[in-house]
Amino acid sequence: MDTLTQYLNDHPHDELHPSEIANILKDLNEKSFREALQAIPRELIADVALELPDRYFEDIVESFTTKEIADSVAELESDDQTDFMQELEEVDSSMAKAVFSQLDEDDQADILKLKQYDDDIAGAYMQVEVYTANLHDTVHDVIRQFAKLRRNDELENVNYLFVTDEKHHLRYGIGLDHLLVFNFDQTLEENINENPEKYKPVMGYDSDDISDIVQKFQEYDLSSMPIIDEKGMLLGRITSDDIYDIINEQATDQMYHLAGVNDDAEEDEDIFKAGKSRAVWLGVNLITAITASLVIGLFEDTLQSIVALAILMPIVASMGGNAGTQSLTVVVRQLALGDIAQHDAFRTIRKEVILSLANGFLFAIIMGIIASIWFDKGMLGIVIALSMVINLLSAGFFGAMVPLLLKKMEVDPAIGSTVVLTTVTDVVGFFSFLGLATLILL
Amino acid sequence: MDTLTQYLNDHPHDELHPSEIANILKDLNEKSFREALQAIPRELIADVALELPDRYFEDIVESFTTKEIADSVAELESDDQTDFMQELEEVDSSMAKAVFSQLDEDDQADILKLKQYDDDIAGAYMQVEVYTANLHDTVHDVIRQFAKLRRNDELENVNYLFVTDEKHHLRYGIGLDHLLVFNFDQTLEENINENPEKYKPVMGYDSDDISDIVQKFQEYDLSSMPIIDEKGMLLGRITSDDIYDIINEQATDQMYHLAGVNDDAEEDEDIFKAGKSRAVWLGVNLITAITASLVIGLFEDTLQSIVALAILMPIVASMGGNAGTQSLTVVVRQLALGDIAQHDAFRTIRKEVILSLANGFLFAIIMGIIASIWFDKGMLGIVIALSMVINLLSAGFFGAMVPLLLKKMEVDPAIGSTVVLTTVTDVVGFFSFLGLATLILL
């Protein structure tokens, strides 16, 4: 708490930044944290709550009155207001109702509107605060209007002036760097007409998938994008800071899916949700493992005869699993980043097969020699070498094939591909190794 | 190529966007691609080359003359110029020298300066083009100057005016939304002095780690950041589009490291590099697998007596590996996102241990029952149940411990943690299962 008091003393009120406060709070233990909360300027509570990881949220809202929270929510922009209220509903729905009722009508209307969008739709990420003007306004008028809005602290981080017509349809987007050099005495329309094509904005629909929006941000190097409805009416905007968060979330989802973990479940305060989600995945893996064991069971007699096989067989399966994971991870990620597409399928599979074959031969030789020496049995070396090549080859092939197939079936390639791959590499690994051993050594 | 011709016809010259051209080209097969290249407006070549995945780069530069390439490089901003030239050097160093010599002196100087920075340092990502003005300039002068620069197409996507003193040290950053409402007849200094704290910019040093820069962008919701040297002199800026790319790269690195794959090697045209990088990792895994097999070898006699053990033992190891991967992935990612930190170590490990213990008991019961029925041996069920609990518990514990330890040793938690974890779960899995079997069943 000393650090927080120090920080609050060092910075005049205007300069306090919620993320800096959040960083200081994150480092405190539970007791100091609760004490420190009371030192936060009340209007920053909601902002700080949003900056901290989810698990702090409940502690924060329990430490303040409904009015204090409502007042700080009023300070947020509409997208953050909606996020905060949605979080609050999950944590304490009666408090959420109480806070909501204390917000002013405009805020309430905005939140209700934004709440309607599903989590992966553009509308869920937009804020309604945009800087707009009419085609027939002069630049002078526009600036005077803007100065008034700024004095009331109603607009922040504005990069674009959006020009709408009488029906509030979005017509043009003028970067402030362009506006600055307009003829201030003329209307927007007169200025724009010198080169109207230049001011056609890159827009998104509120119903678009947020991934498409993110892609447009990256392709057009945007820092802000207007969002319209299907009639072309301007609804709000999405800004670069939203995009940073979404890119991170998308990457987290991919990593988690490959490992059989669910992002929402892991973030939940209730540890039972994470446990349940992981259990489902482990359950599927158990079925995979039992399947592989059934394959081993086919060769019970072989194993009885040559114990060395039981000692060596996990090596083949393990190498297959690792090589397959390498191929799988690369293909899943490149598909996600748009580096490869459907029509690259043949080239991708070919590359993975070549790589696996090459490494397959390399480790076949290495392991073949080791096995022969270890068990003083040359043919055992041959068996393990052959199955190593077979298993790594199929690992590479399926590691590339499975995500490409899933993508073609319009399923997220990261979901389920790992379990399909492990089934293949385990089954192929054990079957080829024990099968060849039965053929060659018995 | 029809699609490209159509696109080029539909859009006036000013509106052609390199990323749209790149998207069209990506969908063509090799032959159509080479034909289509010739239809691209020459000044966009370099930009299009940067928008396409790395593997297209060589084809593109081989299809144009040195002069055509040099002219298109001149159209780029300094950070893109540097990226292009570095890529060109890797692909064809003599052509790179030739192109470089045809650039004008200023561009050459900028590129040489930016090239010096290592890949993960802020300076490597900055562009030198910034909109600056002096404290004593009037706002009118500043705007007139800006209009001139714009007419020469020298500045794009400007959100901030950076105010420097006589020694070119950065003093203030004025968002254009603030500049717009300044008193145009007064100087910048006079306008600023009404509330100087408001215009203190969030800056980065050219020597900063780029991850710190990215974190600042996310914490302060920036769309642009000025970069200064250790003396405070303004060198350039980093913009939000750079940050999108870097966030994606960082996530890719994490995913790849967990799978034992290297980003640069995979991107390389030379498939041998990817193969070699994967082989190193597979080699380490081979050592891990042999270690586990040595553990199995300790129980040769036990396996000889009870073949059922050979059939079931991969199940325990596999479940441990999967559960450990779940813990590992979550902890690595949360560390990277800053959701957990060093002092959260105890809480994190405790959570992972609880989750693993719970799932350990669940699957111990399930697998215990299955094993007893399968082999008609109740004690076998007990053995596998006990070792399942032990292995999942250690999987969860080490899955959390290893990345936290690596982080404390200031090593990237994603590198090497997978192989340590698999060693643990394999060794503990086989040892506990076969050991308990030896104790209880023999």
Side-chain angles (χ1 to χ4, degrees):
Chain A
M1 183 170 124
D2 278 346
T3 334
L4 183 61
T5 324
Q6 184 75 30
Y7 171 83
L8 293 170
N9 287 341
D10 285 347
H11 293 76
H13 193 84
D14 275 350
E15 253 188 82
L16 296 171
H17 205 281
S19 68
E20 288 167 353
I21 296 175
N23 280 340
I24 295 172
L25 290 174
K26 265 198 281 195
D27 278 338
L28 303 174
N29 63 43
E30 268 191 67
K31 183 167 165 298
S32 310
F33 178 82
R34 290 220 190 82
E35 289 171 0
L37 276 187
Q38 294 308 320
I40 303 176
R42 290 296 179 269
E43 71 274 14
L44 294 179
I45 300 168
D47 214 333
V48 171
L50 287 175
E51 291 283 338
L52 286 166
D54 289 0
R55 65 177 180 280
Y56 290 98
F57 195 86
E58 195 159 6
D59 281 337
I60 295 179
V61 297
E62 283 175 355
S63 308
F64 297 102
T65 67
T66 307
K67 179 155 190 356
E68 284 172 326
I69 294 180
D71 286 346
S72 76
V73 169
E75 297 290 317
L76 299 173
E77 291 182 316
S78 50
D79 54 345
D80 291 332
Q81 284 181 335
T82 311
D83 286 345
F84 186 93
M85 292 309 298
Q86 285 178 319
E87 188 85 31
L88 187 56
E89 265 166 43
E90 281 184 32
V91 159
D92 184 341
S93 58
S94 46
M95 181 184 244
K97 286 197 183 70
V99 168
F100 187 79
S101 64
Q102 293 198 27
L103 299 173
D104 71 46
E105 272 182 27
D106 288 337
D107 286 346
Q108 288 183 343
D110 291 338
I111 292 172
L112 286 173
K113 193 163 59 174
L114 293 176
K115 260 179 66 174
Q116 289 174 23
Y117 294 100
D118 281 341
D119 265 357
D120 50 358
I121 298 300
Y125 293 88
M126 75 179 177
Q127 57 177 155
V128 300
E129 295 86 351
V130 277
Y131 177 31
T132 60
N134 195 283
L135 275 169
H136 307 296
D137 296 335
T138 64
V139 181
H140 267 306
D141 290 337
V142 161
I143 293 176
R144 257 193 296 267
Q145 174 66 9
F146 188 57
K148 213 191 322 176
L149 288 169
R150 285 219 76 89
R151 271 197 300 276
N152 300 342
D153 249 342
E154 272 177 48
L155 276 176
E156 285 176 28
N157 286 333
V158 177
N159 297 328
Y160 277 84
L161 166 67
F162 296 117
V163 183
T164 51
D165 60 22
E166 314 73 40
K167 292 183 231 147
H168 210 62
H169 288 184
L170 176 64
R171 300 290 308 282
Y172 299 102
I174 306 173
L176 292 192
D177 52 350
H178 288 268
L179 187 68
L180 215 50
V181 298
F182 270 11
N183 183 327
F184 281 29
D185 297 313
Q186 291 189 319
T187 64
L188 290 174
E189 185 165 37
E190 287 165 337
N191 276 293
I192 288 170
N193 277 342
E194 297 194 19
N195 192 352
E197 290 304 310
K198 205 161 144 184
Y199 304 104
K200 284 245 229 38
V202 177
M203 306 172 289
Y205 288 97
D206 62 334
S207 56
D208 279 343
D209 220 293
I210 190 63
S211 335
D212 295 333
I213 302 288
V214 171
Q215 200 161 334
K216 275 193 187 159
F217 262 86
Q218 294 180 98
E219 284 184 2
Y220 294 93
D221 291 348
L222 303 175
S223 52
S224 151
M225 184 192 289
I227 301 297
I228 59 176
D229 67 11
E230 68 276 3
K231 295 196 198 70
M233 214 175 88
L234 179 62
L235 299 174
R237 63 174 182 157
I238 291 178
T239 49
S240 52
D241 54 287
D242 298 313
I243 302 300
Y244 305 147
D245 290 337
I246 299 166
I247 294 180
N248 263 322
E249 276 170 38
Q250 289 179 334
T252 302
D253 273 345
Q254 268 169 36
M255 283 178 72
Y256 279 16
H257 282 143
L258 284 175
V261 181
N262 177 285
D263 193 14
D264 294 326
E266 294 295 323
E267 295 259 320
D268 205 298
E269 263 309 280
D270 182 358
I271 202 178
F272 178 72
K273 293 215 171 98
K276 199 169 123 190
S277 147
R278 293 193 192 187
V280 168
W281 192 252
L282 288 175
V284 175
N285 271 286
L286 186 65
I287 296 172
T288 296
I290 291 175
T291 308
S293 285
L294 286 168
V295 169
I296 300 172
L298 296 173
F299 299 96
E300 205 175 313
D301 295 334
T302 313
L303 282 164
Q304 189 79 56
S305 310
I306 312 174
V307 174
L309 297 177
I311 296 172
L312 289 175
M313 68 185 187
I315 294 178
V316 180
S318 158
M319 290 295 280
N322 287 318
T325 301
Q326 286 178 332
S327 300
L328 179 68
T329 304
V330 171
V331 174
V332 165
R333 188 62 178 159
Q334 287 184 342
L335 275 170
L337 294 176
D339 282 355
I340 59 179
Q342 282 304 124
H343 60 87
D344 290 306
F346 178 70
R347 191 184 55 78
T348 305
I349 296 176
R350 187 184 62 186
K351 176 182 177 184
E352 291 303 325
V353 163
I354 293 174
L355 282 168
S356 322
L357 217 40
N359 280 328
F361 277 119
L362 171 65
F363 288 101
I365 294 171
I366 294 175
M367 200 53 216
I369 294 173
I370 293 178
S372 322
I373 297 174
W374 186 349
F375 291 97
D376 198 25
K377 205 177 216 156
M379 288 314 280
L380 188 53
I382 304 272
V383 165
I384 202 170
L386 283 172
S387 77
M388 183 76 78
V389 173
I390 293 171
N391 204 18
L392 255 56
L393 175 59
S394 64
F397 179 75
F398 282 95
M401 257 280 284
V402 171
L404 285 166
L405 253 177
L406 287 173
K407 178 93 181 175
K408 187 149 190 144
M409 292 161 25
E410 297 194 3
V411 174
D412 184 343
I415 300 180
S417 42
T418 312
V419 80
V420 174
L421 184 72
T422 355
T423 316
V424 168
T425 55
D426 281 351
V427 166
V428 170
F430 291 131
F431 192 82
S432 63
F433 183 62
L434 296 173
L436 284 168
T438 309
L439 280 176
I440 296 179
L441 296 175
L442 290 188
Chain B
M1 181 167 125
D2 278 347
T3 334
L4 183 60
T5 326
Q6 184 75 31
Y7 171 83
L8 294 171
N9 287 342
D10 285 345
H11 293 75
H13 192 83
D14 275 350
E15 253 188 81
L16 296 172
H17 204 281
S19 67
E20 289 168 352
I21 296 176
N23 280 341
I24 296 173
L25 290 174
K26 265 199 281 194
D27 278 338
L28 303 175
N29 63 45
E30 267 190 68
K31 183 165 165 299
S32 310
F33 178 82
R34 289 218 192 84
E35 289 171 1
L37 276 187
Q38 293 308 319
I40 304 175
R42 290 296 178 269
E43 71 275 14
L44 294 180
I45 299 169
D47 213 332
V48 171
L50 286 175
E51 291 283 338
L52 286 165
D54 290 2
R55 65 178 180 280
Y56 290 98
F57 195 84
E58 195 160 3
D59 281 337
I60 294 180
V61 297
E62 284 175 356
S63 307
F64 297 102
T65 67
T66 308
K67 179 155 192 351
E68 284 171 326
I69 294 181
D71 286 345
S72 76
V73 169
E75 297 289 318
L76 298 173
E77 290 182 315
S78 49
D79 54 344
D80 291 332
Q81 284 182 334
T82 312
D83 286 345
F84 186 93
M85 292 310 297
Q86 285 179 318
E87 189 85 32
L88 187 56
E89 265 166 43
E90 282 184 33
V91 158
D92 185 342
S93 56
S94 45
M95 179 184 247
K97 286 195 184 71
V99 167
F100 188 79
S101 63
Q102 293 199 27
L103 299 172
D104 71 49
E105 273 183 26
D106 287 336
D107 286 346
Q108 288 183 344
D110 290 338
I111 292 172
L112 287 174
K113 193 163 60 176
L114 293 176
K115 262 179 64 172
Q116 289 175 26
Y117 294 101
D118 281 341
D119 266 355
D120 48 0
I121 299 299
Y125 293 87
M126 75 180 177
Q127 57 178 152
V128 300
E129 294 87 353
V130 278
Y131 178 30
T132 60
N134 195 281
L135 275 167
H136 307 298
D137 295 335
T138 65
V139 182
H140 267 306
D141 291 336
V142 162
I143 292 177
R144 257 192 296 267
Q145 175 66 10
F146 189 56
K148 214 193 318 178
L149 289 168
R150 287 220 74 92
R151 271 196 301 275
N152 301 340
D153 250 341
E154 271 177 47
L155 275 177
E156 286 177 26
N157 286 334
V158 176
N159 297 328
Y160 277 84
L161 166 67
F162 296 118
V163 183
T164 52
D165 60 21
E166 313 73 41
K167 292 185 229 138
H168 210 61
H169 288 183
L170 176 65
R171 300 290 307 281
Y172 299 102
I174 305 173
L176 292 192
D177 51 351
H178 289 267
L179 187 68
L180 215 50
V181 298
F182 270 11
N183 182 326
F184 280 29
D185 296 313
Q186 289 189 321
T187 63
L188 289 174
E189 185 167 35
E190 288 165 335
N191 276 293
I192 288 169
N193 277 342
E194 295 192 21
N195 192 352
E197 290 304 312
K198 205 161 147 189
Y199 303 105
K200 282 245 223 56
V202 177
M203 307 173 286
Y205 289 97
D206 61 335
S207 55
D208 279 342
D209 221 294
I210 190 62
S211 337
D212 295 333
I213 302 288
V214 171
Q215 200 161 337
K216 274 191 188 163
F217 262 87
Q218 295 179 98
E219 285 184 1
Y220 293 93
D221 291 347
L222 303 175
S223 52
S224 153
M225 183 192 290
I227 302 297
I228 59 176
D229 66 11
E230 68 275 5
K231 295 196 198 70
M233 213 174 88
L234 179 63
L235 299 175
R237 63 174 182 156
I238 292 179
T239 49
S240 54
D241 54 287
D242 298 314
I243 301 303
Y244 306 147
D245 290 337
I246 298 165
I247 293 179
N248 262 323
E249 275 169 36
Q250 288 179 334
T252 302
D253 274 345
Q254 269 170 36
M255 284 179 73
Y256 279 16
H257 283 143
L258 283 175
V261 181
N262 178 284
D263 193 15
D264 293 328
E266 295 294 324
E267 295 261 319
D268 206 297
E269 263 309 282
D270 182 359
I271 203 179
F272 178 72
K273 293 214 170 105
K276 199 168 122 187
S277 147
R278 294 193 191 187
V280 168
W281 190 252
L282 288 175
V284 174
N285 269 286
L286 185 65
I287 296 171
T288 295
I290 291 174
T291 308
S293 286
L294 285 168
V295 168
I296 300 173
L298 297 171
F299 299 97
E300 204 175 316
D301 296 332
T302 312
L303 282 164
Q304 188 80 56
S305 311
I306 312 174
V307 175
L309 297 176
I311 295 172
L312 290 174
M313 69 184 187
I315 294 177
V316 181
S318 159
M319 291 295 281
N322 288 318
T325 301
Q326 286 177 333
S327 300
L328 180 68
T329 303
V330 171
V331 174
V332 165
R333 188 62 178 160
Q334 288 183 342
L335 275 171
L337 294 176
D339 282 354
I340 59 179
Q342 281 306 121
H343 60 88
D344 289 307
F346 178 69
R347 192 183 54 78
T348 307
I349 295 175
R350 187 185 62 188
K351 175 181 175 185
E352 292 303 324
V353 163
I354 292 173
L355 282 169
S356 324
L357 217 40
N359 280 328
F361 276 117
L362 171 65
F363 288 101
I365 294 170
I366 294 177
M367 200 52 217
I369 294 173
I370 294 178
S372 323
I373 297 176
W374 186 352
F375 292 96
D376 198 24
K377 205 177 212 157
M379 286 315 279
L380 189 54
I382 304 272
V383 166
I384 202 171
L386 283 172
S387 77
M388 183 76 77
V389 173
I390 294 171
N391 203 18
L392 255 56
L393 175 59
S394 64
F397 178 74
F398 283 94
M401 257 280 284
V402 171
L404 285 166
L405 253 177
L406 287 173
K407 179 92 180 176
K408 187 148 190 144
M409 293 162 24
E410 296 192 2
V411 174
D412 182 344
I415 301 180
S417 43
T418 311
V419 79
V420 173
L421 184 72
T422 357
T423 316
V424 168
T425 55
D426 281 351
V427 165
V428 169
F430 292 132
F431 192 84
S432 63
F433 182 62
L434 296 172
L436 284 167
T438 310
L439 280 175
I440 297 179
L441 297 176
L442 290 187

